[in-house]
């Protein structure tokens, strides 16, 4: 087994957690200090990181570590430097940015999602480098804004940095599951425009609110139809079409028929469901006599469906087996990750695997098992060795 610096990876995770790199530019917080810490560590090891801003103050840090062992593929390790806000402090029993270790767990915002995973990618690459030459190279990437619009990953793709990558491992917390599939997300806004009028004389107006009712009923039927046509995915479950926001009229003016009503819809898809088809169906459902409907696509992140036979998945599974002595468990990502962007827009296969529980992310008292950080670092190092040597 490749020897990893167990103390180092844990201490580096603590140092990252102690930086409140919340995705909250409005409060003057961003991921820059965390990115700088990653950059400094890379330089300490003699790597040559390239820093590129996805947006002002929102840097991506990317280092390419050549194996020096001849021709070979390029593996990408990906982590994000931002974390979600700590939220209501009274719900925490530990300092969210303390990086405290207690009961074998490292506590704090980002401990699982995903500063431990990010640290593991760095230390795994370093471990492989110190173990001797290897074919090909590893691109170690700490990207910005995963928790927001995924600006970092989109910027990375726009810069052409996926062009030479053969496979990516995304270090999100998945409780040790190998996740080569991820659910898609499609968020729509439907604006229904009629004609404003006095409530006493509705015949002079055109009320968009009955159109909302018809649309809501239609969305329920559309979900039933999609679920019938696309049976539940073994790792991702069902397709969901969920209206989440309604807007029309005002409480202060109950005697006014509003001109506009808006419905926001959060659609969660599985492989096989075409987002364009769903958006067109919603537009058709919004049609109502005398009302103009306009559908805007707010977010469009397609589902990810990488076959488990893909080299990057196979190498990771083989590494998991040899390091842990356990059979790999395959799972799915319930939301989307930077892997969605890398695979869909960057055209590279990605797989998600990392330390920390699937459901602990974004909660109060977030933690990661210390032993899991070290174990995952070993799996990453072994996965890289196997992927680059074609040994899977
Ligand atoms: Zn994450």
């Amino acid at each position: 087994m490749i020897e990893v610096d167990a103390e180092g990876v844990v201490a580096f995770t603590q140092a990252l957690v102690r930086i409140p790199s919340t995705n909250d530019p409005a409060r003057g917080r961003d991921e820059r200090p965390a990115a700088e810490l990653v950059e400094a560590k890379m330089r300490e090891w003699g790597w040559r990181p390239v820093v590129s801003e996805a947006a002002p103050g929102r840097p991506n840090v990317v280092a390419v570590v050549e194996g020096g062992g001849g021709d070979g593929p390029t593996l990408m390790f990906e982590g994000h430097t931002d974390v979600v806000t700590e939220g209501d402090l009274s719900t925490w029993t530990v300092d969210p940015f303390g990086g405290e270790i207690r009961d074998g767990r490292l506590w704090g915002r980002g401990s699982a999602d995903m500063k431990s995973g990010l640290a593991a990618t760095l230390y795994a690459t370093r471990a492989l480098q110190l173990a001797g030459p290897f074919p090909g190279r590893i691109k170690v990437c700490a990207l910005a804004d995963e928790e927001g619009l995924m600006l970092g990953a989109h910027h990375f793709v726009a810069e052409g940095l996926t062009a030479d990558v053969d496979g990516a491992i995304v270090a999100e917390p998945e409780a040790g599951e190998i996740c080569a599939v991820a659910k898609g997300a499609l968020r729509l806004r439907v604006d229904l425009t009629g004609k404003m009028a006095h409530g006493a004389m509705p015949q002079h107006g055109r009320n968009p609110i009955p159109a909302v009712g018809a649309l809501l009923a239609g969305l329920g039927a559309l979900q039933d139809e999609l679920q019938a046509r696309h049976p539940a995915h073994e790792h991702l479950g069902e397709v969901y079409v969920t209206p989440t926001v309604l807007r029309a009229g005002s409480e202060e003016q109950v005697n006014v028929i509003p001109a506009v009503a808006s419905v926001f819809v959060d659609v969660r898809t599985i492989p096989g469901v075409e987002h364009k088809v769903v958006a067109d169906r919603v537009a058709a459902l919004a049609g109502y006599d005398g009302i103009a409907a306009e559908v805007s696509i707010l977010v469009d992140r397609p589902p990810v469906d990488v076959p488990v036979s893909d080299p990057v998945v196979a190498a990771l599974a083989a590494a998991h087996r040899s390091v842990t002595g356990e059979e790999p468990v395959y799972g799915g990502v319930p939301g989307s990750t930077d892997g969605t962007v890398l695979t869909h827009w960057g055209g590279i296969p990605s797989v998600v695997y990392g330390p920390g529980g699937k459901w602990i992310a974004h909660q109060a008292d977030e933690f990661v098992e210390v032993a899991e950080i070290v174990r995952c670092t070993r799996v990453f190092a072994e996965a890289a060795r196997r992927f680059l040597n074609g040994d899977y």
Side-chain angles (χ1 to χ4, degrees):
M1 199 191 298
I2 300 156
E3 199 178 322
V4 305
D5 177 359
E7 264 176 47
V9 70
V10 174
F12 190 64
T13 303
Q14 280 182 296
L16 282 171
V17 170
R18 286 175 183 145
I19 297 172
S21 55
T22 54
N23 194 325
D24 197 357
R27 265 166 83 196
R29 281 181 176 176
D30 55 40
E31 50 279 89
R32 187 201 290 270
E36 285 172 351
L37 188 66
V38 168
E39 185 193 352
K41 180 56 74 181
M42 290 172 163
R43 291 200 188 283
E44 184 189 313
W45 290 336
W47 300 358
R48 292 200 188 87
V50 173
V51 179
S52 175
E53 291 199 335
R58 323 281 313 263
N60 283 349
V61 183
V62 176
V64 177
V65 178
E66 290 288 344
D71 263 4
T74 299
L75 175 68
M76 171 176 179
F77 273 130
E78 198 269 352
H80 61 82
T81 45
D82 60 324
V83 295
V84 295
T85 173
E86 69 278 23
D88 182 0
L89 265 183
S90 70
T91 59
W92 286 77
T93 62
V94 295
D95 177 354
F97 302 110
E100 184 188 345
I101 293 178
R102 186 164 33 89
D103 306 327
R105 293 171 169 179
L106 195 165
W107 301 81
R109 173 58 77 232
S111 53
D113 186 10
M114 59 181 290
K115 287 173 167 175
S116 55
L118 175 61
T121 65
L122 266 79
Y123 276 77
T125 304
R126 180 61 175 163
L128 188 62
Q129 187 180 35
L130 292 177
F134 56 85
R137 63 206 59 75
I138 303 176
K139 202 176 262 197
V140 186
C141 310
L143 305 185
D145 191 48
E146 194 272 344
E147 303 289 3
L149 298 171
M150 304 184 169
L151 294 176
H154 281 290
H155 180 69
F156 184 87
V157 170
E159 283 191 302
L161 296 182
T162 46
D164 62 347
V165 174
D166 298 288
I169 295 176
V170 176
E172 293 278 1
E174 299 296 346
E177 289 181 5
I178 294 175
C179 300
V181 291
K183 238 169 161 169
L186 174 68
R187 285 176 210 144
L188 303 171
R189 172 188 177 133
V190 185
D191 292 309
L192 300 160
T193 305
K195 184 166 175 276
M196 190 173 164
H198 196 295
M201 293 165 278
Q203 72 275 21
H204 295 313
R206 193 66 206 168
N207 191 350
I209 291 180
V212 170
L215 174 58
L216 293 180
L219 292 175
L222 176 60
Q223 175 176 287
D224 290 345
E225 181 196 318
L226 288 170
Q227 288 183 350
R229 193 180 308 157
H230 304 275
H233 186 281
E234 62 170 325
H235 300 311
L236 300 174
E238 300 275 14
V239 183
Y240 291 114
V241 179
T242 309
T244 50
V245 181
L246 287 182
R247 238 185 246 154
S250 94
E251 284 177 48
E252 289 73 37
Q253 296 197 298
V254 179
N255 60 342
V256 175
I257 291 170
V260 182
S262 302
V263 180
F264 292 67
V265 191
D266 187 4
V267 186
R268 300 302 176 128
T269 60
I270 59 177
V273 179
E274 292 289 335
H275 285 193
K276 166 102 175 60
V277 171
V278 175
D280 288 348
R281 287 295 306 280
V282 171
L285 289 170
Y288 197 85
D289 190 27
I291 302 292
E294 194 186 338
V295 177
S296 319
I297 295 175
L298 307 177
V299 167
D300 182 6
R301 296 171 182 159
V304 174
D305 190 14
V306 174
V308 295
S309 58
D310 189 277
V312 74
V313 187
L316 183 59
H320 178 95
R321 196 179 285 117
S322 67
V323 170
T324 68
E326 293 163 11
E327 276 307 299
V329 176
Y330 294 92
V333 183
S336 31
T337 70
D338 281 341
T340 300
V341 177
L342 297 173
T343 295
H344 188 73
W345 286 280
I348 57 176
S350 68
V351 59
V352 185
Y353 176 97
K358 235 185 226 294
W359 309 109
I360 194 69
H362 303 191
Q363 294 190 17
D365 283 354
E366 181 178 342
F367 69 88
V368 61
E369 303 284 346
V370 172
E372 221 183 308
I373 304 175
V374 177
R375 187 174 90 150
C376 186
T377 308
R378 293 197 174 108
V379 173
F380 281 164
E382 178 66 9
R385 187 193 70 72
R386 285 174 177 269
F387 180 81
L388 297 170
N389 284 283
D391 175 15
Y392 40 82

